[in-house]
Amino acid sequence: MEATTFVLFGATGDLAKRKIYPALYNLFIDQKLPLSFSVIGLGRRELSDKAFQANVEQSLLTFSRREANDPVLMENFLRKFRYNVLDVNRKEDYQKLLQLIEQQEEELRMEPNRMFYLSVGPEFFETITANIHESGLGSAKGWKRLVIEKPFGHDLQSARDLNKNLSKAFTENEIFRIDHYLGKPMVQKLDVLQQSNPVLQALWGNRYIANVQITANETVGVEERAGYYDHVGAVRDMFQNHMLQLLMMLTIHLPNNSTSENVRFKKKLVMDSLKLLQKEDVSSNVIRGQYGEGTIQGKPVVGYISEPNIAATSRNDTFIAAKLQIDDYFWRGVPFYIRTGKRMKDKSTRIVIEFKEPLKQSGTAADTKMPNLLIFEISPNEGILLQLNTIDPLNKGEFKPIHIDFHESRDNVPEAYENLICDALHGDSTFFAHWDEVELSWQWVQPILDAYEENLVPLHLYTAGTYGPVESDELLAQDGYHWWFDDKSVQEIESIKGGQYAYHTND
Ligand SMILES: NC(=O)C1=CN([C@@H]2O[C@H](COP(=O)(O)OP(=O)(O)OC[C@H]3O[C@@H](n4cnc5c(N)ncnc54)[C@H](OP(=O)(O)O)[C@@H]3O)[C@@H](O)[C@H]2O)C=CC1
Ligand SMILES: O=C1O[C@H](COP(=O)(O)O)[C@@H](O)[C@H](O)[C@H]1O
């Protein structure tokens, strides 16, 4: 891998500590970092290199999933880290940074390849990229890359404005927009599973699939992020990015040995085919919710408007469920139900594919028969489960669902940030959000934002520790379906199977 200077804006922040340093450390242990690699951490506070390295070490001890107690390994890793004070608004700080980088590249005989990672608030993105451009930091002979964290805009117009400004300093091929759901190992496997298994390939589309359910439930509430979250809500925080990315990754049809260009092109096709909602239709296709007080894992929790720094009058959404339709050859007629919420009963991100029931449709008595389900467990557990029907040996004539279940041990699963940083170091943008799809995602979400703004969609209060407002069940019920793995469906299956079915986990 090519020599790289990893220039980290926001090196003293929360994301750097919790995700970026542990990811770099794991890549280092697995020998996936370039041999010639150095990190320059940036922030306003004064820190010596030693103090910075001590902070990095502390974050590894706290957050790394791997052992961080081998002193030699640790020393070798920390030696790669240096710190430099930089205020994003001070032009002279960029000149000092340029000198430091050039000096280091010369000392270490490194090619001038620079990866600029913006782990700072989005309000700084345009200032930083303009200064990288003007200062000459981005003009070296090697390659340059920009890694940015969501949010990529606040609505369609602001996303377009942001992109226009970033494009003045970096080309689209140089911009790596992180959506950490695209780094989750199961999400990265979705296309391979489809491409390399004819049994799945043959079933992939509207001929056999009745509906698809994509869920990302969290048990946590707003935590200490009121300032951010109360302005974005579930629709911007999770739906516009993570949830639509899951939809794209599941539904694209890729050729064998596809490239990042193929992925980008096919994702755009999916988003282009997504039926747009009119503002007036939002209330019949989208359920907006906000959590009230309740109990999570036996502990009482307050409602959203009683959380610290949230106004008692806040109408912010903490839950969204929506019905989407892809109007193309493969998916026409298959409803996609997507939901995500905070303070839900359990922590689970999963995709459930419910297959059509040919026996029921042809009028054959099959009351006890369950539909075939294919479930991709994305996190916190990773696995694939297939539900098939067989005959109950104790009660002939009755169907009994059986489960073919594969689960990956959590220890074997790399963190999303490891995968993504490794890909960015290789210049592979397959699992990053490309501008086309980001723009089309905002375009799809914009009528929802407008309808919320104009209060055209009711805000349903749901009890913390449940599966969201009952209205979200009705969204499926009107089409003859229900959410799988909520209490009702679990009981239904258990009553037939006579055993423990669900594998719910906690945050
Ligand atoms: N934390 C998380 O889990 C996630 C965060 N994100 C995104 O990542 C980004 C960073 O988030 P997070 O780490 O939580 O934020 P923090 O508030 O914890 O950190 C912000 C960082 O920015 C630096 N900073 C602030 N102002 C300036 C300035 N004027 N000049 C130079 N540096 C400055 C701070 O350093 P100093 O104070 O030393 O100047 C600090 O290192 C955001 O865009 C966020 O939306 C995305 C997903 C998850
Ligand atoms: O991006 C975000 O994701 C997290 C949920 O991520 P997960 O990997 O734990 O599923 C969410 O809590 C946060 O609000 C959002 O900004």
Side-chain angles (χ1 to χ4, degrees), residues 154 222 225-233 236 290 304-305 309-311 313-318:
H154 191 70
V222 62
R225 300 166 74 209
Y228 156 77
Y229 193 79
D230 204 43
H231 292 107
V232 296
R236 291 183 174 94
Q290 186 188 84
Y304 180 70
I305 54 171
N309 303 318
I310 300 290
T313 51
S314 174
R315 290 182 56 78
N316 190 33
D317 51 303
T318 64

Side-chain angles (χ1 to χ4, degrees), residues 11 16 73 117 173 190 211 266 295 308 373 434 502:
L73 211 59
Y117 195 125
N173 287 339
L190 287 174
N211 74 81
K266 295 284 183 172
T295 307
L373 300 177
H434 312 106

